[in-house]
Amino acid sequence: MRTVILVEDEPFVRRTLLKQVNWEAIGCQVIGESGNGREALDMLLSRKPDIVITDIMMPEMNGTELLKRAREEGLDSKFIMLTCMNDFEYARQAIEFGASSYILKLSMSIPELEQKLVKLRVELDEKEQYNKIKEQEHKAVVQSVYQKVWRNIVSGKEVTDRTLDLDIERVYPYVQIWASASRQAEFPVAADDVEIHRFLDEFQESRFYWQREPVQLASATSYPHLVSSNLVPTMEWEQAWKKLRGALLEAWYAGEIPYIESDSALADLRWEEEKALLLLLDHGKWNEFRRVLADRWGLYARSRTDYHDVKKAGLVIIGMYQKQFSEASVDQEIVYKASTHAELLRMLDETLENCLTLKRAASAAYTSNRDVNKIIDYIHLHYSEEITLKSLAEYVSFDPHYVSALFKKKKGTTITNYIQQYRVEQAKLLLKDTLLSITEVGERVGFENDNYFIKIFKRFVNMTPNQYRQSG
């Protein structure tokens, strides 16, 4: 739907256009009207319509001057000029200033105006689609350049390569780069005249702030999970990015033991080590597993192993958890979220503790009755879906009343209460380990709406989901 503003000093003409033009049918909507050019200019600048229909001869500011002023302010709305025979010179000037067309008021018909409006709407739609395609092509080219430069940086190759120019320095002579080892970090907000490019690889995010003026965006102390380059001339952006990668590695190991020596053999978890860790999990030697993992993390810190390799090891550990604790919902997102070495180890340890808590709860959940245990297994597998007493009864082929009474007898609680409690336990994991919104967490664990989720969560935890997330 294209937006239109009517500018006409004769109220009768405005009313006629408003009533007789079938605006909705031609894909347009009138968002404002004015009786003089000066008032209309303010309206145009604030509402930025797609199309302006304006009389030429008006008090305070004529239509041609309105068009001229709008263009000077950078407004590219399409203009249709309404003119009388003796306004023809003004109409000619309006065309020179970029008016799309003009209509003689004395012979104007509604179908003629509608036809011109449809033509302009089609032109605007085509231009918008073209701009989207060009923008996508431009983004693809930019991302390709960033990808090539980043590969050179990671591999230690020369990064200054004039074949990789972004052709941007003629517009933006300055750039400042911010980066984080976390892909969920908060970045500075910039003014509208700053062009921001975002580049993601598997374990980091960089943002390029291309600027016309040498103005520092923000203090790095305001963003503790980020590192930033100095504001540099555009031609130096590759070298600035290379230095920033070194700063990222320093930030990753902030507060860790001093660097001793590099050990390339530490980059990957070797199969022997991975097998040993899996055996510790299999045999329930949780504390020993934690000790071995902490030792490995210490070796990474002493040798300043690249954080990419550390995060890959983190993914391997998460994979172990997923295999070992089928009753838990273990999310890889914590690896991508971590911004420091110590934080990733802490998150891995907390995830293990959550898995153990659920494992203990699951082992205590079962009873001596096979059918009740089948129901418990069903709930654990399908808690994110709608579960009813009727569906559970059909699953074990019993009468719903009998199933309800049997479950309460063996478990000491109702089926509904058990389902709600299990969903809340799953929600607690998602609240701690992910950045999902409260609504998304509720939906993932089977609650139909926010209010009901918050109510049930508070019943079992004595605090709201948001309070629980902020508590630790």
Side-chain angles (χ1 to χ4, degrees):
M1 190 71 70
R2 292 298 170 181
T3 55
V4 179
I5 284 181
L6 295 177
V7 188
E8 168 61 65
D9 61 327
E10 297 182 41
F12 171 76
V13 176
R14 289 207 308 275
R15 287 196 301 269
T16 299
L17 294 178
L18 284 170
K19 290 182 179 180
Q20 294 190 16
V21 173
N22 194 341
W23 298 102
E24 186 174 354
I26 63 175
C28 293
Q29 176 187 9
V30 177
I31 60 169
E33 53 179 298
S34 175
N36 69 75
R38 192 172 303 281
E39 177 187 81
L41 181 61
D42 293 334
M43 190 181 296
L44 265 58
L45 295 178
S46 62
R47 302 184 189 181
K48 295 180 171 53
D50 297 311
I51 301 170
V52 179
I53 302 174
T54 179
D55 192 6
I56 288 185
M57 298 305 295
M58 293 183 297
E60 297 192 40
M61 182 187 294
N62 64 46
T64 303
E65 182 64 21
L66 173 63
L67 169 59
K68 181 181 177 183
R69 293 285 299 278
R71 292 291 184 256
E72 289 172 352
E73 294 290 340
L75 199 67
D76 61 353
S77 304
K78 300 286 188 179
F79 273 71
I80 296 177
M81 315 301 291
L82 304 180
T83 179
C84 298
M85 291 296 294
N86 56 359
D87 298 337
F88 188 76
E89 178 58 26
Y90 287 106
R92 186 189 62 77
Q93 292 178 12
I95 296 297
E96 289 180 0
F97 289 130
S100 298
S101 63
Y102 66 90
I103 298 176
L104 294 174
K105 291 173 68 173
L106 296 178
S107 60
M108 178 179 67
S109 67
I110 296 301
E112 179 189 10
L113 178 59
E114 289 179 340
Q115 186 178 16
K116 288 184 180 293
L117 286 167
V118 168
K119 182 174 181 291
L120 292 182
R121 178 181 60 76
V122 170
E123 288 178 6
L124 287 166
D125 290 346
E126 290 176 347
K127 180 181 178 182
E128 186 176 278
Q129 185 62 29
Y130 174 79
N131 288 340
K132 284 181 180 178
I133 293 172
K134 296 302 290 183
E135 183 179 357
Q136 289 170 356
E137 290 175 351
H138 174 69
K139 286 181 178 179
V141 170
V142 168
Q143 288 299 313
S144 174
V145 171
Y146 287 144
Q147 186 67 52
K148 290 175 182 176
V149 172
W150 183 249
R151 281 201 301 264
N152 287 344
I153 290 173
V154 172
S155 64
K157 294 179 181 179
E158 177 61 44
V159 298
T160 303
D161 183 350
R162 289 299 96 198
T163 65
L164 300 178
D165 278 350
L166 289 172
D167 191 28
I168 201 170
E169 58 265 20
R170 57 190 176 82
V171 181
Y172 298 100
Y174 304 98
V175 65
Q176 186 174 16
I177 311 170
W178 294 69
S180 174
S182 170
R183 297 203 341 176
Q184 298 180 2
E186 179 185 358
F187 281 78
V189 177
D192 291 341
D193 61 346
V194 175
E195 183 168 340
I196 303 174
H197 294 170
R198 183 186 186 204
F199 174 78
L200 290 169
D201 82 336
E202 190 176 11
F203 298 123
Q204 72 90 39
E205 177 176 351
S206 295
R207 293 197 187 180
F208 299 79
Y209 295 78
W210 301 96
Q211 302 171 219
R212 289 186 171 88
E213 302 295 333
V215 179
Q216 196 79 13
L217 278 175
S219 168
T221 57
S222 302
Y223 297 89
H225 298 301
L226 303 181
V227 294
S228 69
S229 71
N230 294 322
L231 189 69
V232 299
T234 296
M235 296 292 288
E236 299 175 14
W237 71 269
E238 298 105 321
Q239 292 298 333
W241 202 13
K242 182 178 181 179
K243 290 180 182 177
L244 204 58
R245 175 169 161 77
L248 266 181
L249 188 61
E250 290 181 18
W252 175 258
Y253 287 108
E256 298 285 346
I257 56 179
Y259 168 79
I260 298 178
E261 61 179 341
S262 178
D263 185 351
S264 59
L266 284 175
D268 298 317
L269 275 177
R270 291 186 288 270
W271 166 239
E272 294 79 8
E273 295 175 291
E274 188 176 339
K275 187 177 179 181
L277 286 168
L278 279 170
L279 284 173
L280 291 174
L281 290 177
D282 284 337
H283 295 150
K285 297 182 178 180
W286 321 123
N287 289 334
E288 180 68 8
F289 177 90
R290 284 180 163 123
R291 184 191 64 75
V292 173
L293 188 61
D295 287 347
R296 158 63 70 155
W297 244 244
L299 289 172
Y300 284 148
R302 285 193 292 275
S303 66
R304 291 302 189 262
T305 301
D306 192 291
Y307 65 90
H308 278 68
D309 295 319
V310 177
K311 287 200 169 192
K312 287 177 182 176
L315 288 177
V316 172
I317 301 300
I318 290 294
M320 293 181 187
Y321 293 168
Q322 291 171 333
K323 292 176 184 176
Q324 187 69 29
F325 304 103
S326 58
E327 61 279 307
S329 176
V330 181
D331 197 338
Q332 292 183 340
E333 194 62 33
I334 65 167
V335 177
Y336 301 102
K337 178 182 178 182
S339 60
T340 68
H341 191 62
E343 182 183 27
L344 179 53
L345 179 61
R346 176 180 59 77
M347 286 178 168
L348 290 171
D349 189 65
E350 289 176 353
T351 301
L352 175 60
E353 185 57 40
N354 289 335
C355 290
L356 293 175
T357 299
L358 280 176
K359 187 177 182 70
R360 296 181 193 112
S363 62
Y366 293 99
T367 71
S368 59
N369 186 281
R370 184 180 65 180
D371 294 311
V372 172
N373 290 342
K374 281 182 68 177
I375 291 172
I376 291 170
D377 282 336
Y378 185 92
I379 292 170
H380 289 180
L381 287 171
H382 300 278
Y383 65 90
S384 62
E385 307 166 14
E386 182 182 9
I387 303 175
T388 64
L389 177 59
K390 181 181 177 182
S391 66
L392 291 174
E394 290 175 352
Y395 180 66
V396 293
S397 303
F398 285 120
D399 176 79
H401 295 293
Y402 174 75
V403 168
S404 178
L406 178 65
F407 191 95
K408 188 169 184 179
K409 179 181 178 181
K410 293 296 182 180
K411 288 298 297 173
T413 187
T414 65
I415 288 176
T416 298
N417 197 63
Y418 185 86
I419 292 171
Q420 290 175 344
Q421 186 171 13
Y422 191 81
R423 284 171 170 167
V424 166
E425 289 302 317
Q426 297 298 315
K428 286 163 68 177
L429 292 178
L430 292 174
L431 288 167
K432 290 295 186 183
D433 294 340
T434 74
L435 291 178
L436 294 172
S437 68
I438 302 302
T439 299
E440 290 172 325
V441 169
E443 289 174 351
R444 285 205 183 185
V445 299
F447 288 100
E448 57 192 19
N449 62 63
D450 281 359
N451 292 335
Y452 187 57
F453 171 43
I454 294 169
K455 176 183 175 182
I456 299 302
F457 191 97
K458 192 171 183 180
R459 179 189 300 170
F460 287 101
V461 189
N462 293 321
M463 61 179 76
T464 66
N466 197 42
Q467 288 170 337
Y468 178 79
R469 170 172 273 169
Q470 294 175 352
S471 68

